């Protein structure tokens, strides 16, 4: 394994630590490593020795090989071609397990269905126009317009003209949104 691969394990360490709801301090206490060193690992500024990585893995309740497997998924490059469609008017723009969920809708859409997601969502009108109802207000979006919905906002939408193409990008459901506190 080369140095770049070893460094990329930091992404997997950070992701797993956050999924477990652990702070850097908690992992430091469990592993016997310092918070600054763990931060450097997560930010790919330090390359842990085999022994240090084993201590981190143990503190996270996993193994070094599982961290490397998770690191492999953390550095994917994937192309989804325009013709990769099931023909049903909905096309997944990402495959696999990512922090984002992205879809493309073309044509008609069930306007009776109301949506409410726990995480933020962005709607972009690539072609045509759409009518969106969110929290009791109506919005008309034209080509190039973007609508951002905070997690928890009830909404429904429909294509307003034939040939409408809408891109929806959302924080994936398996990711817990973190509310930023203002000082």
């Amino acid at each position: 394994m080369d140095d770049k691969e070893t460094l990329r394990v930091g992404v997997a360490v950070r992701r797993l630590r956050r999924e477990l709801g652990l702070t850097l301090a908690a992992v430091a206490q469990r592993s016997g490593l310092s918070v600054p060193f763990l931060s450097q690992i997560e930010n790919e500024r330090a390359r842990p020795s085999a022994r240090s990585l084993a201590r981190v893995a143990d503190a996270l309740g996993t193994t070094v090989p599982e961290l490397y497997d998770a690191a492999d998924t953390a550095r994917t490059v994937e192309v989804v071609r325009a013709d990769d469609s099931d023909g049903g008017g909905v096309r997944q723009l990402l495959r696999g397990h990512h922090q984002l969920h992205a879809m493309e809708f073309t044509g008609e859409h069930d306007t009776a269905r109301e949506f409410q997601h726990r995480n933020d969502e962005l709607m972009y009108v690539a072609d045509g126009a759409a009518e969106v109802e969110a929290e009791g207000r109506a919005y008309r979006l034209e080509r190039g317009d973007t609508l951002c919905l905070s997690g928890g906002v009830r909404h429904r939408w429909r294509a307003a003209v034939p040939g409408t193409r809408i891109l929806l990008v959302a924080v994936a459901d398996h990711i817990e949104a973190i509310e930023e506190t203002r000082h």
Side-chain angles (χ1 to χ4, degrees):
M1 186 162 303
D2 68 17
D3 288 350
K4 286 189 179 193
E5 288 185 42
T6 303
L7 286 173
R8 294 296 298 174
V9 79
V11 174
V13 169
R14 180 176 45 246
R15 183 183 304 134
L16 180 57
R17 177 182 61 78
R18 287 179 176 171
E19 285 175 9
L20 294 171
L22 297 173
T23 64
L24 280 170
V27 176
Q29 184 177 15
R30 290 179 179 190
S31 67
L33 301 171
S34 72
V35 170
F37 181 58
L38 290 170
S39 178
Q40 288 177 347
I41 291 170
E42 286 190 0
N43 291 303
E44 301 175 0
R45 292 191 177 106
R47 185 178 73 185
S49 66
R51 179 172 158 77
S52 292
L53 192 56
R55 291 167 71 179
V56 170
D58 188 51
L60 296 173
T62 191
T63 64
V64 172
E66 287 175 343
L67 282 177
Y68 280 125
D69 286 345
D72 286 343
T73 62
R75 58 174 194 257
T76 61
V77 175
E78 182 178 328
V79 175
V80 177
R81 300 288 178 194
D83 58 358
D84 289 353
S85 176
D86 63 4
V90 179
R91 182 169 69 102
Q92 295 293 329
L93 301 176
L94 294 171
R95 293 186 193 101
H97 198 70
H98 297 280
Q99 293 181 7
L100 292 177
H101 182 70
M103 297 183 300
E104 176 185 60
F105 292 88
T106 305
E108 293 300 313
H109 181 67
D110 180 7
T111 58
R113 185 169 176 205
E114 186 175 66
F115 299 94
Q116 183 179 24
H117 311 290
R118 75 177 194 178
N119 290 332
D120 296 348
E121 180 176 63
L122 178 101
M123 177 183 282
Y124 173 77
V125 179
D127 287 310
E131 293 175 354
V132 180
E133 182 185 318
E135 295 293 324
R137 291 188 61 195
Y139 302 88
R140 181 169 173 96
L141 304 176
E142 302 288 335
R143 181 178 183 209
D145 289 345
T146 301
L147 178 81
C148 183
L149 301 162
S150 297
V153 171
R154 293 182 181 278
H155 61 284
R156 69 179 87 227
W157 62 272
R158 72 176 192 86
V161 297
T164 294
R165 198 165 50 99
I166 296 173
L167 305 178
L168 290 178
V169 179
V171 175
D173 287 336
H174 67 278
I175 303 295
E176 193 65 41
I178 299 171
E179 208 170 302
E180 190 175 313
T181 57
R182 306 263 182 211
H183 297 279

